[in-house]
Amino acid sequence: MNIGVFDSGLGGLWILKYLERELPNCNFIYFADQAHIPYGNHTPNEILKFSEDIAEFLISKNCKIIVIACNTATSAAISTLREKYVDIIFVGIEPAIKPAGELSKTGHIGVLATKVTAEGQKLEDNIQKFASNLEVHTVIGYELVELVEGGKADTDESEELLREYLEPLLEKNIDQLVLGCTHYTFLINNIKKIVGDKVNIIDPAPAIAKRVKQVVEDKQVLNNSVEKGSTILYSSSGSEKLRDFYSKM
Ligand code: DGL
């Protein structure tokens, strides 16, 4: 029995790393759909189709739990995947509006996300549910995923683009910034440089790993092996970049 984890590319590796830490005896299969990246520029229907194909692949590899380590795919596909594959447990990731709302003192929250996530119904529902009394300022991070995939996360080019997106949020007096795309964790150095220490950055990766651990324990779906687990990486583009990034994290 394996745990499948997928994303459009490198972003979900952060979640994988936290999962490996929380569940050291489990076997993980990571799938990066780099042939179709960035997901944020596709339509929700296209992303659903990609996600279904990946789910089938992971199920064929004996995965009983599938972690959608991608906000965009969660937004576009998780409901349908749960309906279609009823024996599989899907855990998704969504922008962390709830903790941001609880922590905010200024009443202004910033969300940086892909187009599909920013415009999706799921984000709107979460804002209504957890932050309806606050001002939530959402900005689309066009081109950021491409910079991360190109190994340019810590460059001036990425800083410049991030400034364009984040400075208007700072003018709105945000004190919480929600990273609504798993790729953005790679940009953390430049993000911190721009927002300074008055803004708290919320990355949901550790919380997702804890949630998956809870699911594993509740459902008792895994063997209680004492051996160290393994991780296998796949990329739909055949790119070696995935292995390089993983080994350096
Ligand atoms: N890591 C994906 C997410 O969390 C990136 C989406 C993309 O490929 O645009 O949304």
Side-chain angles (χ1 to χ4, degrees):
M1 215 302 278
N2 300 313
I3 298 179
V5 183
F6 80 89
D7 180 32
S8 58
L10 304 171
L13 290 177
W14 286 106
I15 308 226
L16 177 65
K17 287 282 171 182
Y18 282 105
L19 285 167
E20 288 171 339
R21 225 171 288 162
E22 289 290 340
L23 294 159
N25 304 326
C26 289
N27 296 327
F28 295 99
I29 300 190
Y30 185 88
F31 189 94
D33 195 7
Q34 289 169 307
H36 295 123
I37 202 161
Y39 272 12
N41 293 357
H42 286 277
T43 65
N45 269 340
E46 286 167 339
I47 298 163
L48 174 59
K49 174 77 181 80
F50 302 150
S51 303
E52 284 173 338
D53 291 346
I54 298 166
E56 304 254 343
F57 173 78
L58 293 171
I59 293 166
S60 78
K61 297 281 177 202
N62 199 24
C63 295
K64 298 274 185 284
I65 297 175
I66 295 180
V67 181
I68 308 179
C70 174
N71 295 261
T72 311
T74 301
S75 168
I78 197 166
S79 313
T80 309
L81 292 176
R82 283 182 174 144
E83 279 165 25
K84 192 163 171 187
Y85 307 100
V86 288
D87 297 336
I88 305 298
I89 299 166
F90 289 93
V91 179
I93 184 164
E94 293 180 57
I97 301 297
K98 188 172 180 231
E102 286 165 358
L103 292 168
S104 180
K105 302 252 180 318
T106 64
H108 291 267
I109 298 170
V111 179
L112 184 62
T114 67
K115 187 170 187 296
V116 171
T117 302
E119 294 174 353
Q121 190 56 43
K122 265 190 175 297
L123 180 61
E124 186 51 40
D125 292 347
N126 277 339
I127 292 172
Q128 287 311 322
K129 197 163 160 195
F130 301 117
S132 58
N133 55 339
L134 305 173
E135 291 289 332
V136 181
H137 309 279
T138 305
V139 64
I140 298 173
Y142 292 109
E143 305 291 328
L144 293 176
V145 168
E146 289 90 326
L147 286 173
V148 170
E149 291 281 323
K152 294 181 180 166
D154 283 324
T155 60
D156 292 349
E157 189 183 350
S158 112
E159 185 184 336
E160 208 176 299
L161 197 55
L162 281 163
R163 270 191 197 284
E164 210 178 286
Y165 300 142
L166 298 177
E167 277 173 355
L169 296 181
L170 296 176
E171 281 163 23
K172 304 273 189 210
N173 199 22
I174 62 158
D175 62 350
Q176 308 295 320
L177 176 66
V178 176
L179 301 187
C181 168
T182 49
H183 278 75
Y184 299 166
T185 310
F186 282 104
L187 299 165
I188 201 82
N189 294 336
N190 272 332
I191 293 176
K192 279 189 177 154
K193 211 192 277 181
I194 297 162
V195 303
D197 47 18
K198 289 208 183 78
V199 174
N200 181 41
I201 301 167
I202 306 187
D203 174 7
I208 295 301
K210 287 206 161 54
R211 163 102 190 91
V212 175
K213 186 178 185 188
Q214 192 64 56
V215 169
V216 167
E217 286 170 358
D218 287 354
K219 306 273 176 191
Q220 297 182 327
V221 282
L222 295 172
N223 302 332
N224 282 332
S225 163
V226 286
E227 283 171 36
K228 192 176 172 328
S230 65
T231 296
I232 302 174
L233 306 174
Y234 290 95
S235 168
S236 57
S237 72
S239 162
E240 282 304 312
K241 184 161 70 176
L242 182 64
R243 253 170 276 280
D244 282 359
F245 268 76
Y246 175 80
S247 62
K248 287 183 194 135
M249 285 170 81

